[in-house]
Amino acid sequence: MTNQNNKTEYQGPERVFSGVQPTGQLHLGNYLGAIKRFVHLQEEMETIYCVVDLHAITTWQDPKELHSAIREVTAFYIACGLDPKRSILFNQSKVSAHAELAWIFNCVARMGWLNRMTQFKDKAGKNRENASVGLFAYPSLMAADILAYKATHVPVGDDQKQHLELSRDIAQKFNNDFGSLRPGAEHFFPLPEPLIAGPAPRVMSLRDGSKKMSKSDPSDMTRIHLSDSDDDLAKKIRKARTDPEALPSESAGLKDRPEAENLVTIFAALADRTKDDVLSEFGGAQFSAFKPALADLAVATLAPFRDKAEELMAAPDEIDRILEDGAARARAIADPILAEVKDLVGFI
Ligand code: TYM
C-alpha cells in the first residue's frame, strides 16, 4: 500500500490505527464501514485497534453501561475476526499517552479549525453552551490517538473524513512549529491517510435513505444491531423502507432511489460482490423477493458474530486480560513517541 502524500518525507513504518466508541450498540454501519475492513488490513500491515472510552465520555455515559460496552466492543472486534495476537486491541483510557498528547494538540489546533467540525455541530445540537468541552476538543483527541503511534493509515467510515483532515492539519502544524526547529524532525509525524474505501463507507438508515445509519437515532428500526436476534434482523429488513419499483438490472438504475441503493449496497458488501453483480441476479425482482434473500444473507453473516461475542462476554476476565495485554503493547509504542514529543516541545 502506498502512502502518497508523505511517502518521500516521512520515513517511519506503515501502521494502521482506528477506533470505535463504546456507546450504544454496534450496528451494521460500524461493521461494514470499519470493523470488516479492520480485519482485512490485519493481514497486510501492523494494526492497532482501540475501544475509545475517553471519547465516549464526551457525552454522558452511565458508568456501569460504559464498563460493559467496553467489553462488548472488544468481544465484537474478536468475534468479527480480529486476532488479539496479530492486532493490538485495547481501551484508550489504559494508555495515558492519548490524553497527554491530546493536551499538547489542544495547544496546536486552532479554535477556528474546531469550530468548523460538522460533527460537533450535529452532536451539540441547538444547546451548544451546554455541550462538554471534551465534545468540542474531540478531534484533537482523535489526532492524538492516531499520532501517538505515528499511524500512517486510518480505516474509517465516510462520516470521519473531516476529523481525519483535521488530524493531518494538526500533524502538519506540529511538524512546522516544533519539528522545523530540529534538523531531521521536520517530518516527525506522518500525515495520516484516511482509508474510506470499501463497498459501504456510508450505510444509510433503513427508514430514511437520506440519513446515515447511526447509534443515536431514537428508533431501533433504522439500524441493524450486531447483537440482533435472527428474528429482529429479518423483521428490520422486511420493514425497511423501499420504493414501489422493481430492482434495476444495473447499478446506474439505482440513481435517485436511495433506499433501494442502500439495500443493494448492504447485500453487495455482506456478500463481497459488486452491486452490478448483485443486480445481474436480482434485476427485475420486486423487494418482496429481494428482502428475504437479504435477510437470509444478513443472518448467515452476522449471527455467527453475535453468537461468538456472546460466548466471549460470558468470560469477562479473558476479555480484560486481552485488553491489558494490548495496552502494554500499545504503551511500548506510544510512550517513546510521547517522550520525543515532550522533548521537542521543550519539557524537561
Ligand atoms: P464511531 O464509534 O462513531 O464509529 C466507528 C466506525 O464506524 C464507522 N461508521 C459507519 N460507517 C459506515 N456507515 C455508517 N452508517 C457508519 N456509522 C459509523 C465510523 O466512521 C467509524 O469508522 N471518532 C470515531 C472513533 C475514533 C477514531 C479515532 C477513529 C476515535 N479515535 C482514531 C479512527 C481513528 C467514532 O466516533 O467512531
Side-chain angles (χ1 to χ4, degrees):
M1 193 167 302
T2 56
N3 187 6
Q4 285 159 354
N5 298 314
N6 46 6
K7 189 166 47 177
T8 47
E9 299 95 342
Y10 178 73
Q11 303 295 336
E14 294 197 323
R15 191 174 273 154
V16 170
F17 181 95
S18 197
V20 173
Q21 291 198 69
T23 50
Q25 297 183 53
L26 292 174
H27 57 67
L28 188 62
N30 299 132
Y31 176 64
L32 294 176
I35 301 172
K36 183 172 184 193
R37 298 172 52 234
F38 297 177
V39 176
H40 287 294
L41 285 161
Q42 175 181 247
E43 313 293 325
E44 295 171 24
M45 275 199 248
E46 184 184 355
T47 43
I48 307 175
Y49 298 122
C50 190
V51 182
V52 291
D53 47 11
L54 298 176
H55 277 108
I57 62 162
T58 57
T59 57
W60 168 252
Q61 303 300 323
D62 177 89
K64 271 212 190 79
E65 281 169 26
L66 179 61
H67 201 82
S68 97
I70 294 168
R71 286 185 181 143
E72 194 168 314
V73 173
T74 312
F76 271 106
Y77 269 174
I78 299 168
C80 293
L82 290 179
D83 174 354
K85 291 206 179 67
R86 207 181 277 196
S87 293
I88 296 181
L89 307 182
F90 71 107
N91 58 310
Q92 196 183 20
S93 60
K94 278 206 165 72
V95 179
S96 61
H98 292 249
E100 291 189 63
L101 189 57
W103 178 258
I104 295 172
F105 285 171
N106 278 340
C107 302
V108 172
R110 307 288 91 183
M111 289 290 287
W113 299 359
L114 290 166
N115 265 328
R116 283 195 286 277
M117 295 294 112
T118 55
Q119 197 147 338
F120 173 74
K121 290 179 198 161
D122 290 347
K123 284 201 180 169
K126 288 198 186 80
N127 198 356
R128 266 179 144 199
E129 295 296 309
N130 201 34
S132 73
V133 175
L135 189 66
F136 186 70
Y138 183 112
S140 345
L141 177 58
M142 245 180 99
D145 297 340
I146 299 163
L147 295 168
Y149 304 91
K150 295 193 174 180
T152 52
H153 294 83
V154 187
V156 281
D158 179 69
D159 60 336
Q160 296 301 314
K161 194 169 175 214
Q162 197 185 30
H163 287 159
L164 265 284
E165 279 160 10
L166 191 99
S167 296
R168 291 168 63 92
D169 290 342
I170 289 177
Q172 181 77 68
K173 182 158 161 53
F174 184 94
N175 288 349
N176 290 347
D177 289 353
F178 299 104
S180 62
L181 302 175
R182 184 176 302 175
E186 309 86 318
H187 303 295
F188 181 78
F189 283 126
L191 306 189
E193 197 178 316
L195 299 177
I196 308 182
R202 193 172 183 83
V203 177
M204 307 310 276
S205 156
L206 297 179
R207 308 297 281 191
D208 179 348
S210 68
K211 282 197 200 150
K212 70 165 185 173
M213 186 177 284
S214 151
K215 287 176 191 161
S216 56
D217 194 299
S219 164
D220 263 13
M221 295 301 285
T222 59
R223 60 187 168 256
I224 288 172
H225 292 135
L226 299 188
S227 56
D228 277 344
S229 67
D230 294 358
D231 284 351
D232 281 345
L233 275 172
K235 184 172 83 186
K236 287 178 181 179
I237 292 171
R238 198 169 58 240
K239 298 208 162 188
R241 184 168 158 191
T242 47
D243 55 41
E245 307 292 315
L247 281 166
S249 47
E250 286 174 5
S251 54
L254 293 169
K255 195 169 173 292
D256 299 326
R257 297 180 63 187
E259 284 85 13
E261 166 137 46
N262 191 36
L263 293 186
V264 173
T265 301
I266 291 172
F267 193 113
L270 284 173
D272 286 321
R273 290 167 63 181
T274 63
K275 282 189 261 186
D276 279 316
D277 188 36
V278 172
L279 291 172
S280 71
E281 182 183 342
F282 290 98
Q286 298 294 332
F287 284 101
S288 54
F290 180 71
K291 282 178 167 180
L294 177 57
D296 287 348
L297 174 63
V299 169
T301 315
L302 302 177
F305 301 155
R306 176 198 65 212
D307 296 345
K308 176 79 188 159
E310 264 172 29
E311 206 183 297
L312 291 164
M313 285 293 282
D317 292 351
E318 177 57 12
I319 297 183
D320 294 355
R321 194 198 57 73
I322 289 169
L323 290 173
E324 200 52 71
D325 172 67
R329 285 153 64 204
R331 277 184 222 112
I333 302 173
D335 286 352
I337 293 173
L338 180 67
E340 274 191 86
V341 168
K342 287 180 173 174
D343 187 45
L344 282 171
V345 168
F347 297 159
I348 291 175

